[in-house]
């Protein structure tokens, strides 16, 4: 079983290499090769028996664990230094507090002197995650080559620190692999902290005041989660000095009585990391970073780590009041973030809020945690990762060509950048339309919630929240496909890297919809079966119908050929006024006027401020209740 | 899956839908003290549309409208074949998104506003339709129309609130006043013809036919609530449609804000409350 340690170590080696090479000539082959190998290695996991249980790394357990502790301390010192430099005292306080907890835990752990073999393991859930991290993460790294070159042309004042940029990207992947393969919780925590560090540095890449501010916002919120995580470690070390419970699998198997408190603490860490309300601020703020960073954070790394850990602990949360409330935090987040997305015209912000919404839905599924919901949650993770990375990278490409990421400026993109528009169109369809991925998962979630305890509240949330998503995606779609007769085509000068990555992701979006029964049968169902003893799937005839719909959708565009010849193009109807194709018409008193078409944003109904405040207050309250309940259990 | 019924739907629905539209116009005329057009007028109208010249603002409209018609037919056929109700609803939404996209693609002010309003209508009615499907599931333990049809109990006795909520969104779906925001059958209104402004000739004909299919599907949905007793069910469908015409003729159009708000409040008050009571009865009292 080479790939597991390989996947953790190899991206880190690539990262170190990238830190050394000074120019793009060398960086290019290294990134291509590194990403390709990482992707291939994660794919190769598919063919090694995924049923393999935990297995241990033979050498140097104590040394590795102590090395990690030393690294954690070094990170704390580094972060505290940055905190001093930028005078962020809250961050310094949080960092020191967390470091103190860690020192305490390390002493407690060392004092017992137990020898536990630390394990790396792979099961179908970690396999799914590994594929997402390896393939999508790798694609995003390749895309970044082209993007960052243009980025620095467009932002001459941002110092060119591409070396550390690519270093961080690959380090991020390495940490993600470590996170999903580790069974020993202190190791999970170490990789957890590395992802926090990487995202902090990447968000602050441009070094502007705004990016520094948002980077520290992300840091503070994530360290808050880190503190809860460290609390879980200390709790476990206190309850079970033997240290057996520090293993993920034995902890999850140990049942509600022991595992509930750490599960809730770690779920809280997951909530901060996956940016649910009231912590969504950091993810929305993170869009000041270069677009590939957003794509990475939203699709294959950071936020997925948060939901991954909650899905992991779903069996512990199932059927408990705590799990239900955590699910509600997710549900409320889904509803309100979807509503807020309606009021946004900045494409990246729409994407950010839709990510927050979908993560909310995943947490809602995992919190309530019946076997059918966990099935739906994993499906959501997969589909979201692919479609969202595609959308971010499309927006990044468009932004560089038209100089704006505002949806209002994307009018008639189908004429100006036809290929990108079609890809974007497929990506958006993938987010909400039948028979594409996200809709399949939402559908499964509705069906599963009906039979869950108190599921009715979630069904209502899905019914209303789901229709809200229809509104903001469709009006964006409408903007890009408006055929503006006078627009000019500007699709040239997009680098090969970008084309390759975008094409692959588009193909994946469609392929995964076609192949999802296979994915479900080979990856999701065995996992759910192993954990819950029963599993679920969509019924066969429904799958057949969905596939037929998809095929129908794919052949429909050919109908355009039918109409190629017989057409008389006329200008749009302007109430009988003489008008030109670009919508300039003869106004009163002989004045030429121009018509501008702008989407509705319903600021007064779905305004960000109002809804964010309400949602944060509600979710904060819910989290407080969970905290109180858990404290009750712990004492 | 009953393929025969699906085929029957595909063949017969335009005929039934056209006749219903003809009756609608006749009854409406009588309510307004007019004689009204012949019963078959809607067919003449659509036939005439197909003889007209193809005039386009953009060729891509054709694609979206064809897709709209195709997916309306698909969702209706799935419904009558006894398929999964949620899948039917999602296919139905997909179809309407195509209509909206067709309106957007024209890049024209009137159809643009129509498209935005159509979207508002979609989010106004969709929760209630999903709640209806969920309600039917709670009574029959199945999402399949075939199973719901076969239920021995009349669904209406368990889902009166859901039924009322569904009637409310039906008014939106049938494009009847007071909720005919995005397009209506009365020409040249505040936003001209909304989504359909830029469609003419055969293209508009397809939109009309799709609307006939859609109406038959919606009436089928009403039928489901009374499926245990077919004669009563047919009677109720007729009464409901008559009431819709009456409302259409007695109410002025309202704003989109009021449409959205009232649809959601009704969905919450009638639909969700109904489901909540059902849930309480079955889970807590084990009735």
């Amino acid at each position: 079983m080479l790939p597991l340690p390989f996947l953790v170590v190899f991206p880190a080696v690539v990262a170190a290499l990238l830190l050394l090479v000074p120019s793009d000539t060398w960086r290019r082959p290294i990134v291509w090769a590194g990403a390709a190998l990482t992707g291939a290695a994660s794919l190769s996991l598919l063919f090694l028996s995924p049923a393999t249980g935990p297995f241990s790394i033979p050498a140097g357990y104590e040394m590795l664990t102590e090395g990690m502790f030393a690294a954690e301390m070094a990170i704390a010192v580094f972060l505290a230094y940055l905190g001093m430099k930028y005078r962020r005292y809250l961050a310094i306080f949080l960092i020191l507090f967390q470091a103190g907890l860690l020192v305490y835990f390390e002493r407690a752990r060392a004092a017992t002197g137990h020898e536990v073999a630390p394990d790396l393991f792979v099961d179908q859930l970690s396999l799914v995650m590994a594929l997402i991290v390896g393939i999508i993460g790798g694609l995003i790294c390749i895309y970044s080559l082209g993007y960052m070159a243009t980025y620095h042309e467009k932002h001459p004042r941002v110092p060119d620190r591409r070396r550390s940029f690519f270093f961080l990207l690959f380090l991020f992947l390495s940490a993600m692999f470590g996170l999903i393969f580790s069974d020993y919780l202190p190791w999970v925590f170490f990789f957890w902290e590395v992802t926090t560090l990487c995202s902090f540095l990447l968000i602050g890449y441009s070094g502007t005041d705004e990016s520094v501010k948002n980077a520290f916002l992300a840091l503070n919120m994530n360290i808050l989660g880190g503190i809860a995580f460290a609390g879980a470690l200390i709790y476990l070390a206190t309850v079970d000095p033997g240290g057996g419970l520090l293993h993920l699998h034995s902890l999850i198997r140990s049942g509600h009585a022991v595992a509930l408190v750490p599960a809730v603490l770690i779920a809280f860490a997951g909530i901060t990391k996956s940016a649910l309300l009231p912590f969504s601020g950091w993810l929305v703020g993170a869009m000041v970073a270069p677009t590939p960073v957003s794509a990475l954070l939203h699709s294959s790394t950071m936020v997925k780590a948060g939901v991954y850990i909650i899905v992991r602990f779903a069996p512990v949360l199932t059927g408990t009041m705590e799990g239900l409330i955590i699910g509600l935090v997710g549900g409320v987040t889904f509803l309100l973030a979807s509503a807020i997305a309606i009021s946004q015209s900045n494409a990246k912000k729409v994407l950010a809020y839709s990510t927050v919404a979908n993560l909310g839905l995943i947490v809602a599924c995992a919190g309530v945690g019946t076997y059918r919901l966990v099935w739906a949650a994993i499906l959501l993770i997969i589909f979201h990762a692919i479609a969202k990375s595609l959308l971010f990278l499309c927006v990044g490409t468009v932004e560089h060509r038209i100089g704006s990421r505002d949806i209002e400026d994307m009018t008639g993109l189908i004429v100006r950048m036809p290929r990108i528009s079609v890809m974007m169109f497929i990506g958006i369809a993938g987010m909400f339309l039948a028979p594409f991925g996200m809709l399949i998962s939402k559908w499964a979630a509705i069906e599963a919630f009906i039979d869950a305890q108190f599921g009715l509240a979630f069904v209502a949330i899905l019914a209303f929240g789901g229709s809200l998503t229809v509104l903001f995606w469709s009006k964006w779609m409408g903007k890009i496909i408006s055929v503006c007769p006078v627009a000019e085509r500007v699709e040239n000068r997009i680098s090969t890297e970008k084309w390759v990555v975008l094409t692959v992701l588009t193909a994946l979006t469609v392929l995964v919809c076609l192949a999802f029964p296979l994915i479900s049968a080979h990856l999701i169902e065995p996992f759910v079966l192993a954990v819950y003893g029963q599993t679920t799937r969509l019924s066969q005839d429904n799958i057949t119908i969905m596939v037929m719909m998809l095929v129908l959708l794919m052949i429909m565009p050919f109908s355009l050929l039918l109409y190629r010849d017989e057409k008389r193009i006329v200008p749009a109807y302007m109430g009988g006024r003489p008008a030109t194709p670009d919508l300039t018409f003869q106004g009163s008193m002989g004045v030429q006027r121009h018509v501008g078409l702008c989407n509705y944003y319903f600021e007064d109904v779905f305004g960000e401020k109002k809804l964010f405040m309400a949602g944060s207050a509600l979710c904060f309250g819910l989290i407080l209740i969970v905290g109180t309940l858990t404290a009750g259990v712990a004492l | 899956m009953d393929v025969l019924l699906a085929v029957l739907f595909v063949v017969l629905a335009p005929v039934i839908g056209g006749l219903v539209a003809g009756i609608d116009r006749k009854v409406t005329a009588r309510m307004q003290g007019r004689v009204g057009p012949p019963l078959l007028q809607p067919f003449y109208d659509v036939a005439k549309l197909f003889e007209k010249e193809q005039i386009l603002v953009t060729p891509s409209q054709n694609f979206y409208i064809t897709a709209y018609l195709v997916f309306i037919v698909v969702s209706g056929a799935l419904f009558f074949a006894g398929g999964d109700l949620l899948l039917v609803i999602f296919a139905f939404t997909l179809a309407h998104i195509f209509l909206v996209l067709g309106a957007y693609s024209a890049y024209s002010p009137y159809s643009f506003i129509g498209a935005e309003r159509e979207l508002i209508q979609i989010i106004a009615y969709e929760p209630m339709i999903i709640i209806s499907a969920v309600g039917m599931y709670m009574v029959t333990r199945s999402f399949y129309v075939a199973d719901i049809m076969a239920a021995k109990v009349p669904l209406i006795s368990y889902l009166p609130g859901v039924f009322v909520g569904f009637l409310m969104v039906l008014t939106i779906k049938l494009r009847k006043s007071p909720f005919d925001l995005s397009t209506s059958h009365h020409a040249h209104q505040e936003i001209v013809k909304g989504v359909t402004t830029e469609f003419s000739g055969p293209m508009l004909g397809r939109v009309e036919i799709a609307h006939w299919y859609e109406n038959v599907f919606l009436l089928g949905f009403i039928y489901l609530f009374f499926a245990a007793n077919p004669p009563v069910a047919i009677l109720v469908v007729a009464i409901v449609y008559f009431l819709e015409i009456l409302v259409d003729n007695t109410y002025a159009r309202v704003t989109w804000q009021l449409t959205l708000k009232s649809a959601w409040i009704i969905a919450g008050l009638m639909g969700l409350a109904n489901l909540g009571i059902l849930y309480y009865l079955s889970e807590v009292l084990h009735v």
Side-chain angles (χ1 to χ4, degrees), chain A residues 277 332-342 352-354 356-358 472:
Chain A
L277 287 172
V332 171
T333 303
F334 171 66
L335 188 62
L336 290 176
S338 300
I340 294 174
I342 291 177
Y353 273 113
S354 113
V356 171
N358 282 303
F472 67 82

mmCIF file with all atom_site columns, all heavy atoms in Angstrom, chain A residues 277 332-342 352-354 356-358 472:
data_model
loop_
_atom_site.group_PDB
_atom_site.id
_atom_site.type_symbol
_atom_site.label_atom_id
_atom_site.label_alt_id
_atom_site.label_comp_id
_atom_site.label_asym_id
_atom_site.label_entity_id
_atom_site.label_seq_id
_atom_site.pdbx_PDB_ins_code
_atom_site.Cartn_x
_atom_site.Cartn_y
_atom_site.Cartn_z
_atom_site.occupancy
_atom_site.B_iso_or_equiv
_atom_site.pdbx_formal_charge
_atom_site.auth_seq_id
_atom_site.auth_comp_id
_atom_site.auth_asym_id
_atom_site.auth_atom_id
_atom_site.pdbx_PDB_model_num
ATOM 1   N N   . LEU A 1 277 ? -23.118 29.603 8.888   1.00 0.00 ? 277 LEU A N   1
ATOM 2   C CA  . LEU A 1 277 ? -23.464 30.728 9.736   1.00 0.00 ? 277 LEU A CA  1
ATOM 3   C C   . LEU A 1 277 ? -23.214 30.309 11.172  1.00 0.00 ? 277 LEU A C   1
ATOM 4   O O   . LEU A 1 277 ? -23.476 29.170 11.509  1.00 0.00 ? 277 LEU A O   1
ATOM 5   C CB  . LEU A 1 277 ? -24.947 31.086 9.557   1.00 0.00 ? 277 LEU A CB  1
ATOM 6   C CG  . LEU A 1 277 ? -25.305 31.768 8.232   1.00 0.00 ? 277 LEU A CG  1
ATOM 7   C CD1 . LEU A 1 277 ? -26.828 31.874 8.116   1.00 0.00 ? 277 LEU A CD1 1
ATOM 8   C CD2 . LEU A 1 277 ? -24.675 33.128 8.093   1.00 0.00 ? 277 LEU A CD2 1
ATOM 9   N N   . VAL A 1 332 ? -30.626 26.074 8.482   1.00 0.00 ? 332 VAL A N   1
ATOM 10  C CA  . VAL A 1 332 ? -30.828 27.524 8.491   1.00 0.00 ? 332 VAL A CA  1
ATOM 11  C C   . VAL A 1 332 ? -29.807 28.190 7.574   1.00 0.00 ? 332 VAL A C   1
ATOM 12  O O   . VAL A 1 332 ? -30.132 29.106 6.801   1.00 0.00 ? 332 VAL A O   1
ATOM 13  C CB  . VAL A 1 332 ? -30.705 28.078 9.932   1.00 0.00 ? 332 VAL A CB  1
ATOM 14  C CG1 . VAL A 1 332 ? -30.704 29.591 9.929   1.00 0.00 ? 332 VAL A CG1 1
ATOM 15  C CG2 . VAL A 1 332 ? -31.836 27.556 10.792  1.00 0.00 ? 332 VAL A CG2 1
ATOM 16  N N   . THR A 1 333 ? -28.571 27.697 7.625   1.00 0.00 ? 333 THR A N   1
ATOM 17  C CA  . THR A 1 333 ? -27.542 28.250 6.747   1.00 0.00 ? 333 THR A CA  1
ATOM 18  C C   . THR A 1 333 ? -27.920 28.066 5.288   1.00 0.00 ? 333 THR A C   1
ATOM 19  O O   . THR A 1 333 ? -27.797 28.996 4.480   1.00 0.00 ? 333 THR A O   1
ATOM 20  C CB  . THR A 1 333 ? -26.196 27.556 7.011   1.00 0.00 ? 333 THR A CB  1
ATOM 21  O OG1 . THR A 1 333 ? -25.876 27.710 8.388   1.00 0.00 ? 333 THR A OG1 1
ATOM 22  C CG2 . THR A 1 333 ? -25.101 28.153 6.161   1.00 0.00 ? 333 THR A CG2 1
ATOM 23  N N   . PHE A 1 334 ? -28.412 26.885 4.949   1.00 0.00 ? 334 PHE A N   1
ATOM 24  C CA  . PHE A 1 334 ? -28.808 26.618 3.560   1.00 0.00 ? 334 PHE A CA  1
ATOM 25  C C   . PHE A 1 334 ? -29.871 27.611 3.107   1.00 0.00 ? 334 PHE A C   1
ATOM 26  O O   . PHE A 1 334 ? -29.753 28.250 2.062   1.00 0.00 ? 334 PHE A O   1
ATOM 27  C CB  . PHE A 1 334 ? -29.340 25.187 3.445   1.00 0.00 ? 334 PHE A CB  1
ATOM 28  C CG  . PHE A 1 334 ? -29.973 24.867 2.119   1.00 0.00 ? 334 PHE A CG  1
ATOM 29  C CD1 . PHE A 1 334 ? -29.208 24.844 0.966   1.00 0.00 ? 334 PHE A CD1 1
ATOM 30  C CD2 . PHE A 1 334 ? -31.331 24.607 2.020   1.00 0.00 ? 334 PHE A CD2 1
ATOM 31  C CE1 . PHE A 1 334 ? -29.782 24.553 -0.264  1.00 0.00 ? 334 PHE A CE1 1
ATOM 32  C CE2 . PHE A 1 334 ? -31.914 24.318 0.793   1.00 0.00 ? 334 PHE A CE2 1
ATOM 33  C CZ  . PHE A 1 334 ? -31.139 24.296 -0.346  1.00 0.00 ? 334 PHE A CZ  1
ATOM 34  N N   . LEU A 1 335 ? -30.891 27.773 3.935   1.00 0.00 ? 335 LEU A N   1
ATOM 35  C CA  . LEU A 1 335 ? -32.007 28.638 3.552   1.00 0.00 ? 335 LEU A CA  1
ATOM 36  C C   . LEU A 1 335 ? -31.551 30.086 3.394   1.00 0.00 ? 335 LEU A C   1
ATOM 37  O O   . LEU A 1 335 ? -31.814 30.739 2.375   1.00 0.00 ? 335 LEU A O   1
ATOM 38  C CB  . LEU A 1 335 ? -33.102 28.526 4.616   1.00 0.00 ? 335 LEU A CB  1
ATOM 39  C CG  . LEU A 1 335 ? -34.418 29.211 4.314   1.00 0.00 ? 335 LEU A CG  1
ATOM 40  C CD1 . LEU A 1 335 ? -35.046 28.612 3.076   1.00 0.00 ? 335 LEU A CD1 1
ATOM 41  C CD2 . LEU A 1 335 ? -35.371 29.067 5.488   1.00 0.00 ? 335 LEU A CD2 1
ATOM 42  N N   . LEU A 1 336 ? -30.853 30.594 4.407   1.00 0.00 ? 336 LEU A N   1
ATOM 43  C CA  . LEU A 1 336 ? -30.519 32.024 4.392   1.00 0.00 ? 336 LEU A CA  1
ATOM 44  C C   . LEU A 1 336 ? -29.406 32.341 3.403   1.00 0.00 ? 336 LEU A C   1
ATOM 45  O O   . LEU A 1 336 ? -29.459 33.370 2.723   1.00 0.00 ? 336 LEU A O   1
ATOM 46  C CB  . LEU A 1 336 ? -30.156 32.496 5.803   1.00 0.00 ? 336 LEU A CB  1
ATOM 47  C CG  . LEU A 1 336 ? -31.389 32.514 6.706   1.00 0.00 ? 336 LEU A CG  1
ATOM 48  C CD1 . LEU A 1 336 ? -31.018 32.880 8.120   1.00 0.00 ? 336 LEU A CD1 1
ATOM 49  C CD2 . LEU A 1 336 ? -32.431 33.488 6.176   1.00 0.00 ? 336 LEU A CD2 1
ATOM 50  N N   . ALA A 1 337 ? -28.425 31.481 3.287   1.00 0.00 ? 337 ALA A N   1
ATOM 51  C CA  . ALA A 1 337 ? -27.354 31.764 2.325   1.00 0.00 ? 337 ALA A CA  1
ATOM 52  C C   . ALA A 1 337 ? -27.906 31.742 0.903   1.00 0.00 ? 337 ALA A C   1
ATOM 53  O O   . ALA A 1 337 ? -27.509 32.559 0.060   1.00 0.00 ? 337 ALA A O   1
ATOM 54  C CB  . ALA A 1 337 ? -26.219 30.761 2.476   1.00 0.00 ? 337 ALA A CB  1
ATOM 55  N N   . SER A 1 338 ? -28.858 30.845 0.631   1.00 0.00 ? 338 SER A N   1
ATOM 56  C CA  . SER A 1 338 ? -29.481 30.838 -0.696  1.00 0.00 ? 338 SER A CA  1
ATOM 57  C C   . SER A 1 338 ? -30.208 32.149 -0.940  1.00 0.00 ? 338 SER A C   1
ATOM 58  O O   . SER A 1 338 ? -30.163 32.711 -2.036  1.00 0.00 ? 338 SER A O   1
ATOM 59  C CB  . SER A 1 338 ? -30.485 29.693 -0.817  1.00 0.00 ? 338 SER A CB  1
ATOM 60  O OG  . SER A 1 338 ? -29.869 28.471 -0.617  1.00 0.00 ? 338 SER A OG  1
ATOM 61  N N   . ALA A 1 339 ? -30.910 32.624 0.094   1.00 0.00 ? 339 ALA A N   1
ATOM 62  C CA  . ALA A 1 339 ? -31.649 33.879 -0.061  1.00 0.00 ? 339 ALA A CA  1
ATOM 63  C C   . ALA A 1 339 ? -30.686 35.042 -0.283  1.00 0.00 ? 339 ALA A C   1
ATOM 64  O O   . ALA A 1 339 ? -30.911 35.906 -1.141  1.00 0.00 ? 339 ALA A O   1
ATOM 65  C CB  . ALA A 1 339 ? -32.522 34.123 1.163   1.00 0.00 ? 339 ALA A CB  1
ATOM 66  N N   . ILE A 1 340 ? -29.590 35.064 0.479   1.00 0.00 ? 340 ILE A N   1
ATOM 67  C CA  . ILE A 1 340 ? -28.643 36.164 0.336   1.00 0.00 ? 340 ILE A CA  1
ATOM 68  C C   . ILE A 1 340 ? -28.043 36.174 -1.064  1.00 0.00 ? 340 ILE A C   1
ATOM 69  O O   . ILE A 1 340 ? -27.844 37.229 -1.664  1.00 0.00 ? 340 ILE A O   1
ATOM 70  C CB  . ILE A 1 340 ? -27.525 36.062 1.397   1.00 0.00 ? 340 ILE A CB  1
ATOM 71  C CG1 . ILE A 1 340 ? -28.104 36.267 2.797   1.00 0.00 ? 340 ILE A CG1 1
ATOM 72  C CG2 . ILE A 1 340 ? -26.435 37.111 1.143   1.00 0.00 ? 340 ILE A CG2 1
ATOM 73  C CD1 . ILE A 1 340 ? -27.119 36.042 3.918   1.00 0.00 ? 340 ILE A CD1 1
ATOM 74  N N   . ALA A 1 341 ? -27.796 34.985 -1.621  1.00 0.00 ? 341 ALA A N   1
ATOM 75  C CA  . ALA A 1 341 ? -27.191 34.911 -2.958  1.00 0.00 ? 341 ALA A CA  1
ATOM 76  C C   . ALA A 1 341 ? -28.037 35.638 -3.990  1.00 0.00 ? 341 ALA A C   1
ATOM 77  O O   . ALA A 1 341 ? -27.515 36.145 -4.989  1.00 0.00 ? 341 ALA A O   1
ATOM 78  C CB  . ALA A 1 341 ? -26.997 33.452 -3.361  1.00 0.00 ? 341 ALA A CB  1
ATOM 79  N N   . ILE A 1 342 ? -29.344 35.711 -3.755  1.00 0.00 ? 342 ILE A N   1
ATOM 80  C CA  . ILE A 1 342 ? -30.219 36.397 -4.714  1.00 0.00 ? 342 ILE A CA  1
ATOM 81  C C   . ILE A 1 342 ? -29.873 37.878 -4.804  1.00 0.00 ? 342 ILE A C   1
ATOM 82  O O   . ILE A 1 342 ? -29.957 38.486 -5.867  1.00 0.00 ? 342 ILE A O   1
ATOM 83  C CB  . ILE A 1 342 ? -31.693 36.213 -4.288  1.00 0.00 ? 342 ILE A CB  1
ATOM 84  C CG1 . ILE A 1 342 ? -32.096 34.766 -4.488  1.00 0.00 ? 342 ILE A CG1 1
ATOM 85  C CG2 . ILE A 1 342 ? -32.609 37.139 -5.076  1.00 0.00 ? 342 ILE A CG2 1
ATOM 86  C CD1 . ILE A 1 342 ? -33.489 34.457 -4.028  1.00 0.00 ? 342 ILE A CD1 1
ATOM 87  N N   . ALA A 1 352 ? -19.798 32.138 -3.610  1.00 0.00 ? 352 ALA A N   1
ATOM 88  C CA  . ALA A 1 352 ? -19.449 31.938 -2.201  1.00 0.00 ? 352 ALA A CA  1
ATOM 89  C C   . ALA A 1 352 ? -20.692 31.611 -1.389  1.00 0.00 ? 352 ALA A C   1
ATOM 90  O O   . ALA A 1 352 ? -20.702 30.655 -0.612  1.00 0.00 ? 352 ALA A O   1
ATOM 91  C CB  . ALA A 1 352 ? -18.764 33.178 -1.647  1.00 0.00 ? 352 ALA A CB  1
ATOM 92  N N   . TYR A 1 353 ? -21.760 32.389 -1.586  1.00 0.00 ? 353 TYR A N   1
ATOM 93  C CA  . TYR A 1 353 ? -22.961 32.127 -0.793  1.00 0.00 ? 353 TYR A CA  1
ATOM 94  C C   . TYR A 1 353 ? -23.596 30.797 -1.178  1.00 0.00 ? 353 TYR A C   1
ATOM 95  O O   . TYR A 1 353 ? -24.178 30.109 -0.337  1.00 0.00 ? 353 TYR A O   1
ATOM 96  C CB  . TYR A 1 353 ? -23.963 33.278 -0.906  1.00 0.00 ? 353 TYR A CB  1
ATOM 97  C CG  . TYR A 1 353 ? -23.667 34.346 0.114   1.00 0.00 ? 353 TYR A CG  1
ATOM 98  C CD1 . TYR A 1 353 ? -23.233 35.605 -0.245  1.00 0.00 ? 353 TYR A CD1 1
ATOM 99  C CD2 . TYR A 1 353 ? -23.793 34.064 1.472   1.00 0.00 ? 353 TYR A CD2 1
ATOM 100 C CE1 . TYR A 1 353 ? -22.935 36.566 0.692   1.00 0.00 ? 353 TYR A CE1 1
ATOM 101 C CE2 . TYR A 1 353 ? -23.505 35.013 2.430   1.00 0.00 ? 353 TYR A CE2 1
ATOM 102 C CZ  . TYR A 1 353 ? -23.079 36.267 2.035   1.00 0.00 ? 353 TYR A CZ  1
ATOM 103 O OH  . TYR A 1 353 ? -22.786 37.204 2.988   1.00 0.00 ? 353 TYR A OH  1
ATOM 104 N N   . SER A 1 354 ? -23.477 30.431 -2.451  1.00 0.00 ? 354 SER A N   1
ATOM 105 C CA  . SER A 1 354 ? -24.056 29.145 -2.806  1.00 0.00 ? 354 SER A CA  1
ATOM 106 C C   . SER A 1 354 ? -23.233 28.010 -2.195  1.00 0.00 ? 354 SER A C   1
ATOM 107 O O   . SER A 1 354 ? -23.788 26.973 -1.814  1.00 0.00 ? 354 SER A O   1
ATOM 108 C CB  . SER A 1 354 ? -24.195 29.017 -4.317  1.00 0.00 ? 354 SER A CB  1
ATOM 109 O OG  . SER A 1 354 ? -23.345 28.034 -4.817  1.00 0.00 ? 354 SER A OG  1
ATOM 110 N N   . VAL A 1 356 ? -21.691 28.249 0.720   1.00 0.00 ? 356 VAL A N   1
ATOM 111 C CA  . VAL A 1 356 ? -22.121 28.241 2.119   1.00 0.00 ? 356 VAL A CA  1
ATOM 112 C C   . VAL A 1 356 ? -23.445 27.490 2.242   1.00 0.00 ? 356 VAL A C   1
ATOM 113 O O   . VAL A 1 356 ? -23.636 26.648 3.126   1.00 0.00 ? 356 VAL A O   1
ATOM 114 C CB  . VAL A 1 356 ? -22.252 29.685 2.645   1.00 0.00 ? 356 VAL A CB  1
ATOM 115 C CG1 . VAL A 1 356 ? -22.901 29.697 4.014   1.00 0.00 ? 356 VAL A CG1 1
ATOM 116 C CG2 . VAL A 1 356 ? -20.892 30.354 2.693   1.00 0.00 ? 356 VAL A CG2 1
ATOM 117 N N   . ALA A 1 357 ? -24.357 27.780 1.296   1.00 0.00 ? 357 ALA A N   1
ATOM 118 C CA  . ALA A 1 357 ? -25.669 27.134 1.338   1.00 0.00 ? 357 ALA A CA  1
ATOM 119 C C   . ALA A 1 357 ? -25.529 25.619 1.205   1.00 0.00 ? 357 ALA A C   1
ATOM 120 O O   . ALA A 1 357 ? -26.109 24.858 1.988   1.00 0.00 ? 357 ALA A O   1
ATOM 121 C CB  . ALA A 1 357 ? -26.558 27.674 0.224   1.00 0.00 ? 357 ALA A CB  1
ATOM 122 N N   . ASN A 1 358 ? -24.733 25.194 0.234   1.00 0.00 ? 358 ASN A N   1
ATOM 123 C CA  . ASN A 1 358 ? -24.620 23.756 0.014   1.00 0.00 ? 358 ASN A CA  1
ATOM 124 C C   . ASN A 1 358 ? -23.922 23.054 1.159   1.00 0.00 ? 358 ASN A C   1
ATOM 125 O O   . ASN A 1 358 ? -24.278 21.931 1.513   1.00 0.00 ? 358 ASN A O   1
ATOM 126 C CB  . ASN A 1 358 ? -23.898 23.479 -1.300  1.00 0.00 ? 358 ASN A CB  1
ATOM 127 C CG  . ASN A 1 358 ? -24.820 23.686 -2.474  1.00 0.00 ? 358 ASN A CG  1
ATOM 128 O OD1 . ASN A 1 358 ? -25.860 23.064 -2.548  1.00 0.00 ? 358 ASN A OD1 1
ATOM 129 N ND2 . ASN A 1 358 ? -24.474 24.600 -3.360  1.00 0.00 ? 358 ASN A ND2 1
ATOM 130 N N   . PHE A 1 472 ? -31.556 32.559 -8.257  1.00 0.00 ? 472 PHE A N   1
ATOM 131 C CA  . PHE A 1 472 ? -30.293 33.256 -8.522  1.00 0.00 ? 472 PHE A CA  1
ATOM 132 C C   . PHE A 1 472 ? -29.466 32.581 -9.603  1.00 0.00 ? 472 PHE A C   1
ATOM 133 O O   . PHE A 1 472 ? -28.763 33.258 -10.351 1.00 0.00 ? 472 PHE A O   1
ATOM 134 C CB  . PHE A 1 472 ? -29.488 33.535 -7.247  1.00 0.00 ? 472 PHE A CB  1
ATOM 135 C CG  . PHE A 1 472 ? -28.927 32.349 -6.517  1.00 0.00 ? 472 PHE A CG  1
ATOM 136 C CD1 . PHE A 1 472 ? -27.746 31.761 -6.923  1.00 0.00 ? 472 PHE A CD1 1
ATOM 137 C CD2 . PHE A 1 472 ? -29.552 31.864 -5.379  1.00 0.00 ? 472 PHE A CD2 1
ATOM 138 C CE1 . PHE A 1 472 ? -27.207 30.699 -6.223  1.00 0.00 ? 472 PHE A CE1 1
ATOM 139 C CE2 . PHE A 1 472 ? -29.031 30.796 -4.678  1.00 0.00 ? 472 PHE A CE2 1
ATOM 140 C CZ  . PHE A 1 472 ? -27.856 30.205 -5.109  1.00 0.00 ? 472 PHE A CZ  1
#
